[in-house]
Amino acid sequence: MLSITERLCPVRATVGQRTLVMGVLNATPDSFYDGGRYATLDAALARAEQMLAEGADIVDIGGESTRPGAAPVPEEEEIRRVIPLIEAVAIRFPEAVISVDTTKSRVAQIALQAGACIVNDISGATFDPHMLEVVAQSGALIVLMHIKGTPQTMQQNPTYEDVVAEVKATLRAHAQRALDAGIPPEHIWLDPGIGFGKTVQHNLELLRGLPKLKSLGLPILIGTSRKSFIGHILGGLPPDERLEGTLATLALAVAWGADIVRVHDVKEAVRAVRVADALCRG
Ligand code: YH5
């Protein structure tokens, strides 16, 4: 079994050189249209294999739906959903870099023992007081995302005086807390949290304001994939019709300094960011 430090090598060597693609793998029961646990695990493993073959640098495995208004998932249920899949992916694909999408320190701790090396925390490590110590003592990398409120409340009339300035100040504070907890700067990525307590206009301002977030000096992850602001701009298109709009956001996010993009459509995203990288990074 590789250590967390060894598992992190490929991302540490490439981040900042080219745009990394994080593929979304949902371990929620509705995601693979199936009641039986083994069939579900098999379908999810097949999807992981496909994403890796399509060029995903990271596979992001989550068991809690963080869509607006979604009910929280109890810790034991999240563990039942996520840990067998992380273990299976880590064993079948020993080179895969796995992140766990969770806000719970116990889920993170078990996931890191099962083969994950990145914790993707949509709360910026604010929902669980033990998250930063778990990440610090394991040697894992953490993604600290901005959210206004909770997934239950975030879309209830979010307001900001200056969304870019407020998100930047919060992300700076999140990073400082992580540093104070003993996490090295090379193990901290920041994310403005597109769609998490933001209106369509806020999301657009945040993407346009990416160069200002870059001045925090840490890698920036952007998650726009299939999100509702894209459907809104395109006259109300449903999630499965938002690929082209997503690719437009990726190209500009790369131009404005995104280092990692989190996407559902790996093949298309890899092609888009490779071309954007060639244009932007020479
Ligand atoms: C993110 O931005 N997002 S889960 C609603 C949709 C489509 C997609 C159909 N986890 C992020 O992907 N982690 C999620 O409407 C994330 N950054 C990071 N770091 C939400 C999601 C989605 C929601």
Side-chain angles (χ1 to χ4, degrees):
M1 181 88 150
L2 291 178
S3 71
I4 286 174
T5 309
E6 289 168 322
R7 289 178 185 280
L8 279 173
C9 279
V11 296
R12 289 193 49 182
T14 45
V15 71
Q17 308 289 122
R18 63 175 177 81
T19 306
L20 301 184
V21 173
M22 171 186 275
V24 178
L25 187 57
N26 285 316
T28 47
D30 50 313
S31 303
F32 290 97
Y33 321 106
D34 191 273
R37 210 160 278 281
Y38 292 114
T40 305
L41 187 66
D42 243 34
L45 257 182
R47 179 64 192 139
E49 177 168 31
Q50 184 183 23
M51 291 197 303
L52 291 166
E54 290 172 350
D57 297 290
I58 302 162
V59 178
D60 187 41
I61 299 180
E64 181 172 43
S65 175
T66 36
R67 290 181 187 210
V73 176
E75 181 173 285
E76 292 308 319
E77 176 59 20
E78 202 182 321
I79 289 168
R80 271 194 295 274
R81 289 179 183 181
V82 132
I83 301 304
L85 181 54
I86 290 173
E87 244 165 18
V89 173
I91 289 168
R92 180 91 71 93
F93 311 105
E95 314 283 73
V97 178
I98 301 168
S99 64
V100 58
D101 189 342
T102 188
T103 61
K104 300 185 181 80
S105 64
R106 231 177 77 80
V107 177
Q109 186 162 41
I110 301 169
L112 294 170
Q113 288 163 359
C117 60
I118 299 175
V119 176
N120 177 25
D121 185 334
I122 61 127
S123 80
T126 64
F127 289 178
D128 185 324
H130 302 296
M131 183 60 96
L132 292 174
E133 68 193 58
V134 163
V135 172
Q137 58 100 32
S138 68
L141 187 154
I142 189 162
V143 182
L144 297 168
M145 198 193 80
H146 176 274
I147 182 171
K148 193 178 183 83
T150 67
Q152 288 71 53
T153 64
M154 65 189 182
Q155 290 311 103
Q156 295 166 9
N157 187 35
T159 53
Y160 301 84
E161 189 127 341
D162 177 339
V163 68
V164 177
E166 285 184 47
V167 167
K168 182 178 174 180
T170 301
L171 290 178
R172 177 185 275 127
H174 287 350
Q176 191 57 55
R177 286 174 55 243
L179 292 167
D180 293 344
I183 300 172
E186 316 83 57
H187 286 188
I188 304 171
W189 293 352
L190 302 176
D191 181 339
I194 298 296
F196 286 85
K198 283 98 181 176
T199 63
V200 173
Q201 278 311 314
H202 293 145
N203 291 321
L204 298 177
E205 278 183 57
L206 279 170
L207 285 171
R208 251 181 246 124
L210 245 164
K212 288 182 181 161
L213 301 181
K214 284 292 288 177
S215 72
L216 291 169
L218 294 171
I220 304 283
L221 185 151
I222 293 288
T224 53
S225 184
R226 298 185 190 174
K227 283 186 180 170
S228 65
F229 78 103
I230 294 170
H232 186 273
I233 292 167
L234 298 176
L237 286 182
D240 66 341
E241 291 289 338
R242 297 173 187 166
L243 173 61
E244 299 85 352
T246 297
L247 298 178
T249 68
L250 298 185
L252 283 158
V254 170
W256 288 328
D259 297 285
I260 310 98
V261 294
R262 180 181 178 277
V263 299
H264 300 85
D265 305 282
V266 171
K267 181 180 84 174
E268 294 85 352
V270 165
R271 290 176 178 179
V273 304
R274 276 199 193 146
V275 174
D277 277 350
L279 282 160
C280 298
R281 301 183 198 258

